[in-house]
Structure formats: structure tokens, C-alpha cells
Amino acid sequence: MTTYTKNNRKNIALIIVILIVVNVVSSQFFKRFDLTSDKRYTLSETTLNTLKQVKEPINIDVFLDGDFPVEFKRLQSETYQLLEEYKAYNSNIIFKFNNPNGDASNAEQFASDLIGLGFTPTNINQNIKGKKELIQIFPWAIANVGEKSVRVPLLVNNYGNRPEENINKSVQLLEYAFTDAITKLISQKKKRIAILKGNGEISDKYMSDLLLNAKEYYALGEFNMDSLTNDLPKTLANLKRFDMALIVKPTQAFSDEEKYILDQYVMQGGKTMWLMDQVAIDLDSLHNQDRQALAYPRDLNLDDLFFKYGVRINPRLIQDLLSTPVTAQSPTGEDFPIDWLYSPIVRSEENHPINKNINLVKLEFANQMDTLKNGIKKTVLLKSSPQSKAVGAPLLVGLNQFMDHLDESQYKEGNQIIGTLLEGKFTSAFNNRVKPFKIADNKDQGVDTKMIVIADGDIVNYTYINKKPVQNGYDQWTQQVYGNKDFLINSINYLLDDDGLINIRSKNIELPLLDEQKVREQYTISQVITVGIPLVLLVVFGFAFTYIRKRKYH
């Protein structure tokens, strides 16, 4: 045997040994590399921590299989890639893609079953054998563990965006959507939310959808402020057992004792969400012979509380040209829309994880709010369009007041603040004042906490349009499914989320979109660059290769 052969065998044996060692070592470690510039396949720490808690199989059915236009193909592939990442980190994540239109014989029944389960379809134009046809797709998934299941929306359909922009936003929210669903399925210990009662708050009927959705994350309980009138310190102690208090559209004034309980709850770190109406007016009050009613200021005895915390809700109603109509009936009994500027629809500025990728938020008789300087960090979450104005109460409100000619030049007061997030160490509204009753641990300077104040109590009433229930939240007049639920759930999550779930919404993924105007303007140049130049280079290479070959061998 030659020395050369021996050396070759040694080298081969060495390579085999190295490969075996590398495989054994690598099997003990797990590492994936994301080479994309925006790290779109790098899962957040929150997602990784959530996946570690998955101890039994979670089955995910995605209804996004089939041949789609390029935008939906992108959503389909990004969904698949993301779920592959989830499965790589935890084999208990099992997913399957389904095509509701795959079997023509039962496609109609399949679609009907999905709609019955609350999966709203989306209609898209599709080329089928050279013909354009309108097909129904279901950009949804459902995650199941045991008998528990959670719907997962995959498509963002925000007002005013091009389809490509909505797909981009949808891809950004995919990780949030799936991690959120898994969190709901595996969460055991839930934080507690007190739903305040006793001051004429809104009926549960109008906030049922919000409560049902919040219940997937948190334990909810009614809390009556007047339950222990003979033992007020005990009432405060009971309230402190809750992580957050939700106050929705009270209509009766708070006593000083009740206000002090809420103030001390905030001072000691309790989170609060206030959905308030400072003006008394309701659509129901307009259903009279004159079709009008007086809107007047409502005194809830909370002005000094909010003033101390850093906001002021003014007794002024917002009129906005960007608004939803109200429904009236013709003499024959048919519904028809009437312009109604007291129902502004607010488009998010996406300046915070709470309102990122949120569709229009529908309001009703929203009030105008001011923010005040006091050292508390303030983030405006909701504000009306630039084509709006605030009108002071008392004033007469009538259903027909916007039916005549509308002078749009009057609606240029600019954006009016409606909702604000407050964060920091609040000062008690009872600082340097006589306290309504004594408690052992009174605080005049609070610990770090946060609250959200929204100057519209009807923001929770998104499943009713003009006091009529709507199917799947779809408004037939504006053809929108409003973003109220997403906004409110995000708000609650932000106030209570210690694990960073809400921050996944801030993840930015840049999917390059074609500039349609540039494509039209530079269509010929683009064709030359993408088609002509490669052909020229191929011909040049062919001639050069032939010439060199002839020179070499002849």
C-alpha cells in the first residue's frame, strides 16, 4: 500500500471521526440562525418563555391553504415559516394547513361551518383558468388543546390601506396572534379585574363581548363600591385584592368616600381604566316625536381626581366629519343612513403598542380631553381627525341637524384628544386635605403605576350599532369591523401584562412593496433591465465561450 493511499485513508477516517464528534456535540445544543435584516424569524423572549410552558400537544389548524394572489401567498408562507419556528422550539406545537375550497363538493358546507364558528371570510379576486372570479377565503387559524380552543386572526384589514400594506401589517402581528392564543390556552393563574358597580355604570349587555374576551386572560368580578358602607377601610382592602379596576360609563356621582377609596387604590399601585362620559346624552333619548334632546354636563364628582392625575375631561362633545351614520326608518319601514357627526371613527396613529395595527375605533358622543403638566408621562392613544371640532354643553342635539348643507369650513379645529395613557407616581387628590375616613396606610404620594382615561363610555358598545346588535361586529354602512375590541384588550393587557406580550405588537417586519406609480412610469426600462440585459449577457457569454474554445483546441 502506497504512502499516498495510507494518508488518504487517514484523512478520511479523521473526517469521519470529526463529523461524528460534531453531530454528538450539536445534538446536545440547539441554535437557529436568522439571516434576515429585520430578524423576522427571531422569536421574542416572551414567545420563547411561553413555548417552554407548553407541556401537552397544541393542535393548530390554519385555513390558508390553496392558490392565492401573491399578497396572500406571502401571508401563507410567512405563517408557515413562523409555525415552523414554534415547532422547532417545542415539538408539542403541531400545525396543519387546510383548504376550505379544496373539495368543491363540500366547500359550501365547510365555509358555512366556519362562518358559524365566527370566522369572518374575506372576498378576493382570483384568476381561475384565465377568468377572474370572486372567491371566499378564511385568513384564520384555530388552536386547540384538550377541549379548549382559541380563534387566531391572521389578516389585518385596516381602513384606507392598500391590500399590500394590510398584508405587511398582518405579517408583523403573526407572532403576537399565535403567542396570544397559546397564552390563553395554557394560562393557569389569572390576574383579577374588578368591574365597578354602584354608580349607574353601563349595562353588561353592551359590554358583554369585551368581558368575554377579557375573561380568556383574566379573572373578572363585580365590585360594588357601596357593599360595605359601615366598614369603608374593609372596602378598600377588598378592592386591593384586584390587580385592576374597570370603571365603565358611570352616570351617578361618586361620594367623597368612594372617591377616596379609588384614589388610595391608585396610590398603592392599582391599575385603573376609566371610560367616562362628561356629557349626558344618548341615542335612545332622541327617539321621540321631535327627534331631539338636550345634552347637558354630568357631574360625577371626579374632576379634581383627574385634574390631580393630569387630565381634564371637558363637557364638550366632539363633532367629526370622519364619522359613522345613524340609522333611521323611512315611512315604509326601510332603514337608511343619516349623517351623524357625533359618532367619530378614530384612526390610530400607531404611536404605542396598544394602538399599533388597530383598525378604526368607533365612538359615540365622545368628549374632549385636555392633558395637564404634572410630571406624569402621558401618551395620547385616541384623538379625532383634523376635520373635527368640540361643542360645549348644554346644547340641543337632533337627529336631523346634519341633514341640511354642512359647512365643512367650520370643522378645522384639529385633532381633539379622547384617550390618554398615564404612567408614573401619582399624587393623591386628597393630599393636604381632610380625609373622608381613616386608614392605616394612607399614601399622599403613590408608587409607580399606570392608568388609561378615555372620554367616551360607549367605546365598549361596539357590538351594537345604533343600539342594534350586529353580526360579527360588521357595520353595513361603513363596511368595517371596528377595532374597539382590539384596542380595549390591548389596553388591559398593557396595564396588567408583566411578561411583555403586548410588546410583540411593536415588532417591525419590512416586506418590500412595489411602487405602482414607478412601475408604470419605468415599465419599459424595467423590462430592458430584467429581460433584455440578461439575454444580451447570455449571447455575449456564448460567443466568448465559443471563441475561446476554438482558439484553445484549433
Side-chain angles (χ1 to χ4, degrees), residues 410-423:
Q410 296 182 8
Y411 296 87
K412 293 184 178 179
E413 292 184 9
N415 307 104
Q416 308 293 319
I417 298 174
I418 301 169
T420 306
L421 165 67
L422 308 172
E423 301 173 277

Side-chain angles (χ1 to χ4, degrees), residues 189-195 217-223 237-246 265 271 492 496:
K189 187 178 179 181
K190 296 184 176 181
K191 293 184 177 179
R192 304 177 68 193
I193 299 177
I195 313 299
Y217 303 89
Y218 309 108
L220 309 182
E222 283 192 8
F223 189 89
N238 288 342
L239 183 59
K240 284 164 60 177
R241 294 177 182 175
F242 292 87
D243 301 284
M244 175 184 156
L246 180 62
Y265 177 73
K271 313 298 192 300
I492 296 171
L496 290 177

